[in-house]
Amino acid sequence: MKTLIFKCLGTAIFTFALLAGCAEKDGSVPGVLTAGMADKSYVPPGELDEFYGFFSGGFSGQLSVYGIPSGRLLKVIPVYSQDAEKAYGYNEETKPMLNTSHGFVPWDDYHHPHISQTNGIPDGRWVFGNGNNTPRIARVDLTTFETVEILEIPNSAGNHCSSFVTENTEYVIGGTRFSVPIPQQDVPIESYKENFQGTISFISVGDEGGMDLAFQILVPGFGYDLVRAGKGKSHGWAFFTTYNSEEANTLLEVNASQKDTDYIAAINWKKAEEYVAQGKAKEMPATYAHNVYHEDTHSATSEMKSSVKVLDPKECPGIIYYLPTPKSPHGVDVDPTGEYIVGNGKLSADMAVHSFDKMLSAIERKAYVEEIKGIPVLQYEETLAGTVSSGGLGPLHTEFDDRGNAYTSFFISSEVVKWKVGTWEILDRAPVYYSVGHLMIPGGGTVKPWGKYLIAMNKITKDRYLPTGPELCHSAQLFDISGDKMELILDFPTIGEPHYAQAIPADLVAPNSKKFYPIGENNHPYHVKKEDETKVVREGNIVHIYMSTIRSHFAPDNIEGIRVGDKVYFHVTNLEQDWDVPHGMAVLGANNSELLIMPGQTETLLWEPKEIGIYPFYCTDFCSALHQEMQGYVRVSPSGSNTPLKWWLGDPPS
């Protein structure tokens, strides 16, 4: 007999006496890697992973990139959070990316990455992601793996059910988790049912990726949790889960659990487009930021927008319908054919699967139960395709493989359950450790899943890794799903709290990856293209240092004539034109971060010396055998000093 201590049902710890009868027929123990299984995730040194996996960081505000199946961390991409490693949000070029109507906001809660699609298939161009706290949508360019655009979402609070794309990336769609007065006003919280509303937002995406808030739809003051766009036959529709249809404003764990069902909101965005074209949308004043990083100048700009088009369902019939679904649904997922819509009701042991065809028929026949603020509620049985019975406890999310199977995460019973689409029979179940939230199959929400691997993203990690104090990293568990049974092949820790991830084959991304920035295309206003262009320019108390860096020196590396109280801008251009040769730059007394400058790029550090003295600066990224010698000095004289401004590399000027 062997005793195993393990975490179960979210909070309780149980001691199991593991008898021979507890093992599987092949002798394996659930959750334990068996001989040979780990080989399926092993990627030998010098070989490359099959897939890129893009994991949201949740409260880290970042997007992390992992190789799959190895689980190797490849990069952390700052999106909504300042990142001193890359100077994102610290250097002058990227500070505008974090501008909002609330001012400079250097953090957000990033939940749901979603990859751009063409014909319903991920195309590897961009990853979109939501800012949950200060409502925002971001776009990451997968040629550079950098954040290149952030659009603030007005009339919203808790931008949770974002950011999910339509079949051809016509729109990034999202909705509000926390309903609020629209427009905002000072009203009693107790007037929730009278004064609070939500919005559904449709952000158009241009051919080059540029985003624009095309229109919003006003909706009742429920919580809008997650969304999936239709595909195939359901193209032109989007499906949102809702909770708190009671419109409670206190103790929601009780007061938002009174009804038997909540709803899936089915939105006909093609119909909404028609109403917008007909002029039915009202122009509503709204202040929100649109931030764009321009690759030619290596700099971001921020523009403040002032209005948005809004549609009201009461005046635009046919754009939204409610489908009753089991209580407190979290995820909503559409199978690869676009016919089946799965509602994952957290408070039900059974999962309702809705039929798109039956929904259209119910709409045609007006099989309504009631209307809620102009929105028809369809009869439950009229849209029901089938029920997955007794799958587990606390269903959250469903993904699909390429063989007609679905996989659902169950938070409370800590397991992933495999079932057959169409027959609704349960085929397999696998324990996970512990309290699984999202799960991901590469392409598992699209028309073309790559059904080889499944990753469970677990909320609790107790006993899986070495202890690191009160807080443990979150756990991702990789399963091989190519056979009839799910087989655990790897555990690996993750950054922040991943709420969702997406993965695509590496060959859709890697061939387009930028290696360096061509120096001849650098149009940064303070760039240099060669060392003899470097200089120092004073404009009152503003000093611009046009600096270059190359293995293994800065030019200039000695500067005099800086005064206490000056604002000194180090504009540093990396003259390298070789892949993977960044240079860093830091100066004593700076109140921000280092710079990390990619080959051919220019970045700017603002430095405000407060005391006289000699201040060293140096390269922070080990770049050559003479990296330690890559340094320089700035002399700071008193305010008002007549110390001449001069600079040099090598022999000082006479």
Side-chain angles (χ1 to χ4, degrees):
M1 180 184 297
K2 181 181 178 183
T3 301
L4 294 182
I5 309 271
F6 71 93
K7 167 82 170 48
C8 188
L9 299 183
T11 55
I13 298 178
F14 295 89
T15 301
F16 255 40
L18 182 63
L19 305 175
C22 296
E24 301 289 345
K25 291 182 180 180
D26 63 1
S28 65
V29 178
V32 177
L33 291 176
T34 57
M37 290 307 300
D39 292 345
K40 293 187 175 184
S41 68
Y42 179 63
V43 179
E47 295 189 15
L48 305 179
D49 282 283
E50 296 174 67
F51 295 91
Y52 285 100
F54 300 92
F55 289 65
S56 69
F59 47 67
S60 81
Q62 300 168 326
L63 178 68
S64 51
V65 186
Y66 293 85
I68 297 172
S70 72
R72 297 184 292 210
L73 178 64
L74 304 178
K75 185 170 184 177
V76 176
I77 303 172
V79 180
Y80 297 112
S81 293
Q82 288 178 299
D83 186 340
E85 177 191 350
K86 302 172 185 67
Y88 180 84
Y90 289 102
N91 64 35
E92 297 304 297
E93 287 77 11
T94 58
K95 282 179 181 178
M97 294 298 290
L98 301 178
N99 190 37
T100 76
S101 63
H102 304 278
F104 182 77
V105 179
W107 172 85
D108 216 317
D109 188 15
Y110 182 174
H111 279 214
H112 304 118
H114 216 239
I115 299 170
S116 56
Q117 297 180 19
T118 302
N119 297 324
I121 302 171
D123 56 28
R125 292 180 294 168
W126 310 301
V127 177
F128 299 92
N130 68 316
N132 188 28
N133 185 61
T134 304
R136 289 177 276 184
I137 300 290
R139 178 171 61 92
V140 169
D141 187 332
L142 290 184
T143 65
T144 59
F145 283 66
E146 302 289 349
T147 304
V148 295
E149 189 172 15
I150 296 179
L151 180 66
E152 189 178 2
I153 308 300
N155 299 326
S156 181
N159 178 41
H160 186 264
C161 53
S162 310
S163 50
F164 294 85
V165 303
T166 55
E167 239 182 335
N168 287 291
T169 320
E170 299 96 338
Y171 295 104
V172 177
I173 49 181
T176 185
R177 174 182 175 186
F178 308 119
S179 291
V180 293
I182 298 176
Q184 277 281 21
Q185 54 185 308
D186 178 14
V187 297
I189 297 175
E190 291 89 341
S191 69
Y192 188 109
K193 291 184 179 181
E194 294 76 34
N195 290 315
F196 287 46
Q197 291 178 287
T199 56
I200 304 295
S201 298
F202 286 80
I203 297 95
S204 61
V205 182
D207 292 340
E208 300 301 318
M211 298 189 295
D212 184 51
L213 181 51
F215 61 90
Q216 294 183 313
I217 300 174
L218 286 174
V219 287
F222 307 160
Y224 294 80
D225 205 0
L226 279 164
V227 59
R228 285 285 188 179
K231 55 179 76 80
K233 63 170 57 182
S234 55
H235 176 69
W237 290 76
F239 305 94
F240 291 75
T241 49
T242 72
Y243 66 100
N244 190 25
S245 55
E246 294 87 351
E247 297 184 274
N249 61 276
T250 184
L251 196 62
L252 263 63
E253 63 179 320
V254 174
N255 294 324
S257 303
Q258 299 300 306
K259 295 182 179 180
D260 293 331
T261 64
D262 280 308
Y263 305 107
I264 290 174
I267 302 215
N268 185 341
W269 58 261
K270 286 284 190 182
K271 188 76 171 176
E273 284 182 330
E274 294 175 9
Y275 282 121
V276 172
Q278 294 167 11
K280 294 292 183 69
K282 295 180 180 178
E283 200 78 29
M284 178 180 289
T287 302
Y288 57 103
H290 185 201
N291 310 326
V292 179
Y293 183 84
H294 308 277
E295 189 169 297
D296 61 335
T297 62
H298 304 173
S299 303
T301 58
S302 181
E303 176 189 5
M304 205 61 68
K305 301 275 191 173
S306 60
S307 67
V308 62
K309 292 181 172 65
V310 177
L311 295 171
D312 188 334
K314 293 191 292 293
E315 301 170 3
C316 304
I319 62 172
I320 180 170
Y321 300 89
Y322 282 141
L323 284 61
T325 205
K327 189 64 186 165
S328 292
H330 188 49
V332 57
D333 301 284
V334 181
D335 86 306
T337 71
E339 166 62 13
Y340 297 115
I341 304 138
V342 183
N344 300 283
K346 299 193 299 288
L347 301 185
S348 173
D350 300 331
M351 289 192 303
V353 183
H354 301 272
S355 161
F356 179 72
D357 286 341
K358 293 183 73 172
M359 183 196 80
L360 291 183
S361 176
I363 292 171
E364 179 71 23
R365 294 180 287 105
K366 296 187 177 180
Y368 306 154
V369 176
E370 59 177 327
E371 282 195 358
I372 300 176
K373 298 181 180 177
I375 300 172
V377 179
L378 303 179
Q379 294 179 14
Y380 176 70
E381 295 79 6
E382 293 292 326
T383 68
L384 191 66
T387 302
V388 182
S389 298
S390 302
L393 299 176
L396 292 184
H397 302 281
T398 299
E399 295 255 312
F400 304 89
D401 66 18
D402 52 352
R403 300 176 299 280
N405 303 311
Y407 302 75
T408 300
S409 60
F410 287 86
F411 177 82
I412 297 175
S413 51
S414 289
E415 59 184 334
V416 175
V417 173
K418 176 182 177 180
W419 50 275
K420 192 70 177 177
V421 177
T423 67
W424 326 122
E425 62 181 314
I426 294 173
L427 303 176
D428 189 26
R429 59 179 70 237
V432 292
Y433 301 92
Y434 307 97
S435 300
V436 58
H438 278 274
L439 74 167
M440 179 270 285
I441 294 171
T446 72
V447 302
K448 185 187 175 181
W450 292 274
K452 185 174 182 179
Y453 300 112
L454 177 147
I455 294 179
M457 285 157 270
N458 308 323
K459 302 302 184 185
I460 306 296
T461 317
K462 192 176 297 183
D463 303 328
R464 299 306 285 187
Y465 307 125
L466 288 171
T468 53
E471 183 192 12
L472 302 177
C473 62
H474 286 252
S475 169
Q477 294 189 294
L478 177 68
F479 290 83
D480 180 343
I481 59 169
S482 59
D484 291 335
K485 295 290 185 181
M486 294 177 279
E487 297 178 305
L488 178 65
I489 61 175
L490 182 68
D491 276 28
F492 62 95
T494 54
I495 301 292
E497 183 195 0
H499 288 259
Y500 187 46
Q502 289 216 307
I504 53 176
D507 59 14
L508 289 178
V509 178
N512 303 317
S513 183
K514 183 180 286 289
K515 305 299 192 296
F516 57 85
Y517 295 91
I519 195 72
E521 299 174 9
N522 183 336
N523 292 316
H524 189 287
Y526 296 97
H527 76 278
V528 297
K529 288 185 167 62
K530 50 188 177 179
E531 279 190 3
D532 60 12
E533 295 178 358
T534 60
K535 58 186 176 180
V536 181
V537 177
R538 174 179 289 280
E539 300 171 355
N541 71 329
I542 305 296
V543 178
H544 294 282
I545 301 174
Y546 295 70
M547 180 177 283
S548 70
T549 178
I550 197 167
R551 288 167 287 184
S552 296
H553 61 268
F554 293 96
D557 64 1
N558 281 252
I559 302 168
E560 293 186 350
I562 306 301
R563 305 164 186 159
V564 171
D566 282 346
K567 285 191 172 184
V568 181
Y569 291 90
F570 289 89
H571 307 287
V572 186
T573 300
N574 182 347
L575 296 179
E576 307 281 358
Q577 291 290 267
D578 189 10
W579 188 22
D580 195 29
V581 189
H583 288 293
M585 189 273 178
V587 61
L588 176 64
N591 296 128
N592 35 38
S593 78
E594 60 143 12
L595 299 178
L596 189 65
I597 314 117
M598 297 303 113
Q601 191 176 41
T602 301
E603 289 192 5
T604 302
L605 175 73
L606 172 61
W607 179 57
E608 300 183 64
K610 297 177 176 60
E611 296 180 358
I612 62 169
I614 305 298
Y615 290 81
F617 59 88
Y618 68 102
C619 178
T620 55
D621 185 85
F622 205 103
C623 54
S624 73
L626 296 177
H627 167 73
Q628 287 297 101
E629 285 76 10
M630 195 168 175
Q631 65 179 54
Y633 291 101
V634 180
R635 175 185 173 187
V636 177
S637 300
S639 176
S641 167
N642 59 3
T643 303
L645 188 66
K646 61 181 180 178
W647 61 94
W648 66 93
L649 171 69
D651 294 330
S654 55

